[in-house]
Amino acid sequence: MTHPPVRAYVGLGANLGDSLATLRGVIDELAITPGIAHCLASPFYRSAPVDAAGPDFINAVAALDTTLGPLELLDVLQALEQRHGRQRPYRNAPRTLDLDLLLHGDAVLDTPRLVLPHPRMHQRAFVLAPLRDLAPGLVLAQGPLRTLLAQLADQPIERLAD
């Protein structure tokens, strides 16, 4: 089913393998996916895992203009995770690729498969910093990105050189 184009934001992360190369490749794959007309990626960031052990993550956010509905886009993201060897042995396990649908236009969903807006993005500096790079004026239900990010000063995050 074709939907009117909307702006969606996807969180990207990886902490196994060549994370930076994986994320760059996934951004290229998203850009050529049918139903995605435009894909713009934030700078990359390094952050420690939150509520987990393992190597540091490389993170970014992609802004997509898409005609895919939320669940259709989720299917695309999960297929990409599978192609890149994503395993789910336990909650918050290290991963080769993690793709989270953060926002899909103004959609509000609460289903077993998908909750939109993403329920924990306001608690994650590794999401808010790259999201702010793409949409500095964005205001979430919990407040402006700048304010929310300031509240997470205890979560170290490092912007990587372009």
Side-chain angles (χ1 to χ4, degrees):
M1 182 161 91
T2 303
H3 298 271
V6 299
R7 174 62 54 102
Y9 292 95
V10 176
L12 300 92
N15 72 338
L16 292 178
D18 187 344
S19 298
L20 197 53
T22 297
L23 296 184
R24 284 184 174 133
V26 166
I27 291 163
D28 291 342
E29 289 176 79
L30 284 168
I32 62 169
T33 298
I36 296 175
H38 181 71
C39 178
L40 177 65
S42 72
F44 294 101
Y45 288 83
R46 178 184 313 279
S47 65
V50 174
D51 299 330
D56 284 353
F57 273 87
I58 304 298
N59 295 99
V61 168
L64 311 175
D65 291 334
T66 182
T67 57
L68 299 173
L71 292 173
E72 294 168 304
L73 184 53
L74 181 64
D75 289 341
V76 166
L77 300 177
Q78 290 178 339
L80 280 168
E81 287 179 337
Q82 291 303 309
R83 275 205 303 276
H84 286 273
R86 169 75 188 260
Q87 305 275 320
R88 297 176 190 268
Y90 54 90
R91 184 171 166 78
N92 296 328
R95 54 207 75 157
T96 55
L97 181 61
D98 185 27
L99 300 174
D100 289 323
L101 183 51
L102 305 172
L103 296 163
H104 188 280
D106 294 330
V108 176
L109 284 176
D110 189 353
T111 72
R113 274 195 77 206
L114 180 61
V115 177
L116 286 175
H118 190 286
R120 291 174 303 285
M121 71 175 157
H122 68 283
Q123 302 168 334
R124 308 286 196 241
F126 63 82
V127 171
L128 296 181
L131 187 56
R132 182 189 59 193
D133 291 331
L134 294 173
L138 186 65
V139 178
L140 303 180
Q142 297 84 5
L145 296 180
R146 184 187 54 201
T147 303
L148 295 171
L149 197 51
Q151 295 168 357
L152 302 175
D154 61 329
Q155 293 181 20
I157 182 168
E158 170 195 1
R159 184 173 169 166
L160 301 180
D162 292 332

